[in-house]
Amino acid sequence: QRMSDRLIEIADIKPGQHVLCLASGTGLDAGKAAKITPNVFLTDLALPMLKAAKKNNFNKLTESDAAVIPFKEESFDKIIINAGGEYILANLHQVFQEAYRVLKPGGNITFNCQTDELGVSYSEDPQRMLRKEVEKFAFYRFGIDISPSTPKNKYQIEEIKNKAQNLDDNGGRLECVLSSDEALPATIRDSKKQLSLEIFNSKWLAKIPKNKRAGLIATATKNLENQIAKGLVTVDNVRHWHYFKFVKN
């Protein structure tokens, strides 16, 4: 909720504007945008997410890849992407090219990613701590190593800005007008709720049987909370996210 609220605030959506939610999930961000303007469109590559969004009363839904946006040129005033850092960084130039194409002049794309994805780690981050605990129990219970390999697409902030250049044959570009590292309130329970979502754990827990994943996360959460209560570990009460806002001039 806090991540989404901040995203909407930075995007600066105005009444009547056309907003595209890329990798929209079930429509959390779209719902907040829809309180400002009725012209909110959702796209996601995961059909189950779109079906859930439809149940949440959204009807402008399209199944599509964020790097291949199925709308005509200059269709939108704003594009927002929440917690899509892994995908964005893996397809950075293509996402920027498509955003540039479908944004109106003066429109913006606003997105966030975990600072871990930019190579900046906070060792006591609550989600980072819980992920490590889940990985430990996955090995103890199932003998399976699910610790992630080093991401292939880590970019420094300046590299991300540079990827927003030369986006068409005429040298089109998106100008970065905001790049901000922000600490948002978070708890172990917040992290458990997020990691329990299939969109967040399908790749990470792919080696673990589906019917075992919820129990694994619950056990790891309980164990970590016990360690915190006994003073054995320290966990931050914030998560660090980096927000970007690029404008089409």
Side-chain angles (χ1 to χ4, degrees):
Q1 290 283 354
R2 303 177 187 101
M3 289 162 50
S4 180
D5 289 341
R6 185 63 180 131
L7 188 76
I8 297 298
E9 180 184 2
I10 292 171
D12 192 26
I13 299 166
K14 304 296 184 185
Q17 289 188 327
H18 286 70
V19 178
L20 176 62
C21 298
L22 289 181
S24 59
T26 60
L28 173 64
D29 313 301
K32 295 177 184 295
K35 292 179 180 179
I36 305 170
T37 177
N39 307 312
V40 180
F41 297 76
L42 294 75
T43 71
D44 201 295
L45 195 55
L47 189 56
M49 290 292 169
L50 293 177
K51 288 181 178 178
K54 190 171 184 178
K55 290 181 181 179
N56 291 333
N57 298 317
F58 294 105
N59 53 28
K60 299 182 180 73
L61 307 169
T62 306
E63 183 182 3
S64 71
D65 191 323
V68 187
I69 301 174
F71 292 96
K72 66 181 182 179
E73 289 77 2
E74 300 186 2
S75 294
F76 297 99
D77 301 284
K78 315 287 184 183
I79 298 174
I80 55 176
I81 314 174
N82 192 12
E86 180 180 357
Y87 180 85
I88 294 170
L89 295 180
N91 301 275
L92 193 55
H93 192 64
Q94 297 97 313
V95 171
F96 278 151
Q97 282 182 315
E98 283 292 87
Y100 181 84
R101 184 181 64 79
V102 301
L103 278 172
K104 299 176 184 178
N108 69 60
I109 174 172
T110 303
F111 63 91
N112 56 21
C113 56
Q114 298 176 61
T115 54
D116 280 13
E117 294 165 329
L118 301 175
V120 180
S121 298
Y122 295 85
S123 60
E124 296 176 350
D125 175 292
Q127 189 183 111
R128 183 182 178 87
M129 295 286 284
L130 182 55
R131 287 178 71 103
K132 288 172 66 176
E133 201 68 16
V134 171
E135 288 159 6
K136 180 176 75 176
F137 274 90
F139 189 77
Y140 289 164
R141 274 194 177 182
F142 305 107
I144 298 174
D145 182 3
I146 61 168
S147 54
S149 57
T150 303
K152 296 179 181 178
N153 295 290
K154 278 190 177 179
Y155 288 101
Q156 298 300 314
I157 291 170
E158 289 305 313
E159 290 180 284
I160 291 176
K161 294 178 183 179
N162 289 337
K163 288 285 183 179
Q165 311 297 314
N166 299 315
L167 300 176
D168 66 7
D169 293 338
N170 298 314
R173 66 187 182 89
L174 294 167
E175 180 183 357
C176 184
V177 296
L178 181 140
S179 172
S180 174
D181 187 359
E182 306 201 10
L184 302 179
T187 66
I188 293 297
R189 287 285 157 171
D190 292 333
S191 298
K192 176 181 181 289
K193 185 176 180 180
Q194 187 177 46
L195 293 179
S196 296
L197 297 173
E198 187 175 356
I199 190 172
F200 285 99
N201 69 39
S202 58
K203 290 183 180 179
W204 174 47
L205 299 181
K207 298 178 183 178
I208 306 297
K210 270 193 174 184
N211 64 342
K212 302 292 184 182
R213 293 174 190 174
L216 176 64
I217 294 171
T219 300
T221 301
K222 184 177 180 180
N223 191 67
L224 182 56
E225 288 178 332
N226 287 339
Q227 291 181 64
I228 294 169
K230 293 176 182 178
L232 299 176
V233 298
T234 301
V235 178
D236 288 340
N237 60 0
V238 296
R239 294 212 69 220
H240 292 265
W241 290 82
H242 201 93
Y243 284 80
F244 292 94
K245 180 177 179 178
F246 287 82
V247 173
K248 178 178 179 178
N249 291 320

